[in-house]
Amino acid sequence: MGRVLRLLRIIVNSFTFVLLLLLSCVFWETNALMAFLLVLASIDQLEDVYYYTYGKRFFPGWFMPFDLIFELVALGIGFCMLVFGLIYYSYFETWLFRSMIFLSIPVMYSAIEDVVLWFKPIKTGLGVSLAPIQIHKEKEEFRIIRKKR
């Protein structure tokens, strides 16, 4: 089951990567700053695909605040897809708006999962924890020393 979920994460993050790149191409003419932010968010999604494939990260631990911003951009894109699909599906009952509703949910789930992953590692069935930063904490032993009187 762990391999199936990992494959699903790879597919969803790949879809989000392509979607953000396409949106950045659309925004390039009207808003270059937004297009640049979308390109950075798409690179973050590509990094998530690389992480789920190989278990290694592109970005160091200090890059986490930027990664969270990019994940929030992906979450916002997924939410806008959901709202757009819900609003226009009542007027135009086509497969485009049904698919936007359906595909927005995995995009939002992927962004939320990646944010949660930074704070709490996810245990997989293979004994490997998916965490961006492996923190090894040594067991500390405290001894109570009594003074002799």
Side-chain angles (χ1 to χ4, degrees), residues 33-34 39 41 75 81 86-87 94 103 110 118 120 128 141:
L33 184 61
M34 182 67 163
V39 166
L75 180 67
M81 284 173 58
L86 288 173
I87 288 172
T94 63
L103 292 174
S110 169
W118 275 105
K120 181 181 174 188
V128 178
E141 295 180 348

Side-chain angles (χ1 to χ4, degrees), residues 12-32:
V12 167
N13 281 321
S14 299
F15 168 74
T16 308
F17 167 71
V18 171
L19 178 71
L20 289 173
L21 272 182
L22 289 174
L23 282 174
S24 68
C25 291
V26 169
F27 275 100
W28 183 255
E29 291 287 325
T30 58
N31 192 348

